[in-house]
Amino acid sequence: MESVESAGVSIMGRTASRLEVEQLLDAHPNAVFLATGDGRIEYANGRLSELVGMTVTAIRGANVADLVVNASRNDARLRRADGGEVAVDLSSTRIETADGPVDFAIVVDATARRRTEAQGELIAQLATAVAAAATADEVGAIAIPIAMPAIGAYDAALALVDERHLVMSAVGRGVPGLSSRFRRLPLDAALPATTAVRQARTIAIARRADLHAAFPILASDPLTAAAHGALDVPLLRGGEPLGVLAFRFDRDDAFEASDVRFAELLAGVCAQALERARAYQAEQAARRAAEDRDERLALALGSVQAGTWEVDLRSGEFAWSDAVAELHGTDAGSTPRGLPAYLALIHPDDRERIAAAFARAVEQRAEPGDGDRFDEEFRISRPDGEVRWTNWVGRTLAGSDGRPARMIGIARDVSSRRVAQAEREAFVAGEREANQLRDAFIGVVSHELRTPITTIYGGARVLARSSLRQEQRAEVLDGILVESERLRRLVEDLLVLSRAERRRLEVADDPVLIGHLVNRVVGEEAARWPDRRFERDVPANLPAASGEETYVEQVMRNLLSNAAKYSPTGSTITVRASGQADELQVEVSDEGPGLHDDEVDRVFDLFYRSPVTAARAAGAGIGLFVTRRLIEAMHGRVWVRPNADRGSTFGFSLPIHDEWRNLGER
């Protein structure tokens, strides 16, 4: 093909001269080049010359493959004249000329972005590594070796607030003399670390002159005067400072704004880990105290034979002390009429298990005159309706003939411990889920949000500064609209995650006209997916559901988008709504690859993505989790089932609104 000198390029409906083309490309804010269909570079602007360290003349005539590494992948790089490589983002558009197509390529330096991505991966590694840390020292020992090289610091420390002091917990290099002198600092000291804690804000000073001006005490001490920069980030939980993560640098301008944001993310992960470590230590202390208390109580009861019980296995006679009678809420001196009568006092859910335990203790005795230990915890139902937990410990004893004769033991009330244990387990489970939700933010921000933002930004730049034909402009606009909608839905899901993490997911109890909402949302989604068929089976007389319309709409969009995303072109997506007893049900059926039976109970879990569908489309694994949390917050339920032939059906239900139900009863 001819060079750009003789091949006219179509611009705004006319053929432009080479001079006009060069002026257009020279004015472009990014590095650009034109290449022929066979990959030979015909033109490059000055910004490309700066990136690769070659003259424009030297670039012209070169082959694209000799200049660009991995041009079609996410890790594209440019080869520099000095042998090095530059990480870039590369996008190209084919332009039709009088003599054939020309590839117009835009090259953006991606060094900073990829550094940010690498730091994001380090954040995820740190979050995983510190998840099992049981002490503050362990948190610091894990975090500091990861953080120092990532930021380029020559030393670092993690210090914790202890009343009115800041106490060093872990250090990096540990400069001789410096660690011991600053191991315990008054919080009112005029130093970067203490200031960051007092003011609950990051102190970031990149030059030694500025550092000494802000904190003169550092310039007067030989041990601290060598520092050229300081980055001190408070460790905050609920707005309250737990401590500080401090970095020191041995040259001016050693860090930049992205490093500050990275350090703040590190500090957030460390603060979560510290809070978990403190909760774990408190739990261990409480457990040891409870075990010690239980052992002392058991010894005391055994020594005075208080709270005793006995069963004569031959006559069936049952006896217990007044303390056991009080535990069961009966009058002193009253006893059950035999073991079967006592079993009737046990909670129905535990009765069969305890009857079997009594039988085993009788049948599996070891030697005549002795027997196996009976040790069971179970619930009893008192006459006043209260349910309490009791622990019965005893043995089966044999008579002179060697046959089981009686069972004796002690009983105690363990309701308080059981309640504390349930609360502790609920707290640990809640913290575990909260930590998963927090980690979701890091994952989504570092991966899922980047793609639509990059597309929108790049498309807007092209529209603003490039001369495109109408069809090209429409294609760019369509990409911007698609990614904008994707970004909006991600943000909506993130807001639900944020509220769930803070346990503030509150919903209204408003009447929601499901039929009207379903028809409207299905119509809008059908416009977004013109190559799918959407069918509706929605009766006109459906009652109003109880919930919040905004959240019900979000659930519908999640299910419809999910069905369309994983269904093939030309397939049918069917939406059905119906009223069932006291609830309304909505189901979305698709013709996608479907689910395995063992995935039905996992598909609504946070981060879970089916291996059957994960390769078909990108996703973060949070949409169905958000759907479940929203529906459960509105007192409904969700489900999924594989279809008989192909695809899956996702559904949810909501209770009928009280006003509508009352209206129907009049």
Side-chain angles (χ1 to χ4, degrees):
M1 113 174 228
E2 295 180 3
S3 68
V4 178
E5 295 183 7
S6 59
V9 178
S10 177
I11 299 178
M12 298 298 289
R14 65 182 181 83
T15 301
S17 67
R18 175 184 176 85
L19 178 61
E20 289 176 307
V21 172
E22 291 187 355
Q23 289 174 342
L24 175 65
L25 298 182
D26 283 337
H28 201 283
N30 297 312
V32 298
F33 65 83
L34 289 175
T36 60
D38 59 1
R40 185 168 49 85
I41 297 176
E42 285 285 307
Y43 174 80
N45 68 356
R47 290 170 182 79
L48 184 64
S49 171
E50 294 172 1
L51 271 180
V52 299
M54 300 169 56
T55 65
V56 171
T57 303
I59 298 174
R60 292 183 180 179
N63 195 285
V64 173
D66 295 330
L67 186 67
V68 182
V69 183
N70 296 333
S72 61
R73 292 169 51 185
N74 293 332
D75 59 339
R77 303 183 300 279
L78 289 183
R79 292 191 177 95
R80 288 182 50 83
D82 58 9
E85 293 183 347
V86 181
V88 296
D89 290 328
L90 180 68
S91 61
S92 63
T93 302
R94 178 146 291 189
I95 301 175
E96 296 297 331
T97 72
D99 297 300
V102 174
D103 290 323
F104 169 48
I106 301 176
V107 184
V108 180
D109 189 342
T111 303
R113 177 180 64 78
R114 294 189 188 173
R115 181 184 182 190
T116 300
E117 291 176 355
Q119 290 178 340
E121 293 176 359
L122 286 177
I123 290 291
Q125 293 175 14
L126 176 63
T128 301
V130 301
T135 66
D137 290 345
E138 291 179 12
V139 173
I142 295 170
I144 289 176
I146 293 176
M148 282 180 58
I151 292 181
Y154 86 96
D155 201 7
L158 185 146
L160 302 179
V161 174
D162 181 13
E163 295 182 350
R164 298 183 179 180
H165 290 82
L166 193 60
V167 181
M168 191 175 296
S169 177
V171 296
R173 291 175 60 243
V175 177
L178 191 62
S179 299
S180 58
R181 183 178 301 183
F182 293 93
R183 180 163 297 278
R184 187 177 180 86
L185 296 171
L187 278 179
D188 58 359
L191 293 169
T194 52
T195 302
V197 171
R198 287 198 311 273
Q199 299 180 4
R201 68 178 181 88
T202 298
I203 302 296
I205 303 177
R207 302 181 67 83
R208 180 161 62 178
D210 298 335
L211 182 61
H212 291 172
F215 301 96
I217 191 174
L218 298 178
S220 62
D221 192 324
L223 289 175
T224 60
H228 282 250
L231 177 56
D232 295 74
V233 186
L235 307 175
L236 302 175
R237 294 301 296 154
E240 293 296 323
L242 303 178
V244 67
L245 191 59
F247 300 94
R248 296 296 175 263
F249 303 85
D250 57 1
R251 59 185 176 86
D252 284 352
D253 300 320
F255 64 92
E256 53 193 23
S258 63
D259 294 316
V260 176
R261 291 192 293 271
F262 174 65
E264 290 173 340
L265 287 174
L266 280 174
V269 173
C270 290
Q272 293 175 22
L274 287 171
E275 190 174 45
R276 287 196 298 269
R278 290 184 175 182
Y280 174 78
Q281 291 172 347
E283 179 185 354
Q284 291 297 98
R287 181 180 300 170
R288 287 192 295 270
E291 290 173 351
D292 292 342
R293 183 173 61 250
D294 291 344
E295 290 179 3
R296 289 193 299 269
L297 180 58
L299 290 173
L301 287 172
S303 65
V304 298
Q305 296 190 355
T308 60
W309 55 270
E310 181 176 346
V311 182
D312 188 319
L313 298 175
R314 294 173 176 175
S315 66
E317 184 179 351
F318 194 100
W320 61 23
S321 67
D322 291 347
V324 182
E326 181 180 357
L327 168 62
H328 286 72
T330 62
D331 296 334
S334 64
T335 57
R337 294 182 179 274
L339 182 58
Y342 178 71
L343 291 173
L345 303 179
I346 297 176
H347 192 279
D349 293 343
D350 297 336
R351 189 176 299 153
E352 184 177 349
R353 173 173 62 87
I354 300 305
F358 271 116
R360 284 195 303 272
V362 172
E363 296 169 0
Q364 298 175 1
R365 59 191 179 83
E367 297 292 340
D370 197 2
D372 286 349
R373 186 179 179 87
F374 176 90
D375 188 349
E376 297 288 340
E377 288 190 3
F378 52 92
R379 288 163 290 181
I380 55 173
S381 300
R382 290 160 54 103
D384 59 5
E386 182 183 3
V387 175
R388 299 188 69 82
W389 280 91
T390 182
N391 174 221
W392 281 42
V393 179
R395 284 189 180 278
T396 303
L397 303 179
S400 58
D401 58 358
R403 300 178 61 184
R406 60 195 179 110
M407 291 184 69
I408 62 172
I410 61 173
R412 59 195 178 102
D413 189 349
V414 294
S415 300
S416 298
R417 178 170 62 78
R418 277 285 187 163
V419 171
Q421 179 182 346
E423 292 175 349
R424 183 165 58 245
E425 291 173 353
F427 172 79
V428 172
E431 281 301 297
R432 185 181 299 114
E433 182 177 1
N435 289 331
Q436 288 181 321
L437 295 177
R438 293 171 191 139
D439 293 342
F441 283 104
I442 297 174
V444 173
V445 170
S446 62
H447 296 288
E448 293 300 315
L449 291 180
R450 184 176 65 249
T451 299
I453 290 174
T454 300
T455 302
I456 294 168
Y457 177 76
R461 293 291 299 270
V462 171
L463 289 177
R465 298 181 179 273
S466 301
S467 298
L468 304 175
R469 295 198 312 273
Q470 187 61 34
E471 59 269 28
Q472 293 173 325
R473 183 178 295 274
E475 182 179 350
V476 174
L477 282 172
D478 184 65
I480 292 175
L481 290 173
V482 170
E483 294 301 326
S484 297
E485 176 63 15
R486 178 182 174 189
L487 181 61
R488 182 182 69 83
R489 297 192 182 196
L490 279 172
V491 170
E492 288 179 348
D493 286 344
L494 282 175
L495 288 174
V496 174
L497 282 176
S498 174
R499 291 165 184 157
E501 185 267 335
R502 297 194 303 268
R503 297 178 177 86
R504 295 178 180 175
L505 185 55
E506 300 176 354
V507 298
D509 183 17
D510 298 326
V512 180
L513 297 177
I514 290 291
H516 174 75
L517 186 147
V518 168
N519 286 324
R520 175 172 58 82
V521 175
V522 170
E524 293 172 358
E525 290 298 310
R528 289 188 64 240
W529 302 89
D531 53 355
R532 299 337 185 243
R533 292 192 302 273
F534 287 78
E535 295 183 356
R536 285 169 279 188
D537 181 7
V538 182
N541 59 344
L542 287 176
S546 176
E548 185 165 333
E549 183 168 351
T550 300
Y551 286 149
V552 179
E553 179 176 342
Q554 185 173 349
V555 167
M556 280 300 305
R557 293 192 187 281
N558 277 352
L559 295 182
L560 289 170
S561 177
N562 200 61
K565 184 164 57 174
Y566 296 110
S567 295
T569 300
S571 61
T572 300
I573 297 166
T574 305
V575 182
R576 299 181 180 87
S578 62
Q580 305 288 335
D582 291 335
E583 65 179 16
L584 289 172
Q585 295 185 359
V586 178
E587 291 190 327
V588 177
S589 299
D590 60 58
E591 296 178 351
L595 297 170
H596 296 308
D597 290 339
D598 59 355
E599 295 182 282
V600 170
D601 294 331
R602 303 172 58 196
V603 71
F604 291 100
D605 290 346
L606 183 61
F607 303 133
Y608 181 77
R609 299 199 69 214
S610 170
V612 178
T613 59
R616 290 175 172 255
I622 63 174
L624 291 178
F625 172 80
V626 166
T627 293
R628 186 188 69 185
R629 291 301 295 266
L630 288 175
I631 291 299
E632 289 178 349
M634 292 183 283
H635 308 291
R637 55 191 179 90
V638 295
W639 62 87
V640 61
R641 65 175 182 274
N643 295 336
D645 48 354
R646 58 174 175 168
S648 305
T649 295
F650 287 81
F652 67 90
S653 69
L654 290 172
I656 294 175
H657 196 270
D658 288 339
E659 292 183 4
W660 192 280
R661 186 184 296 110
N662 295 337
L663 183 63
E665 295 174 352
R666 293 174 185 172

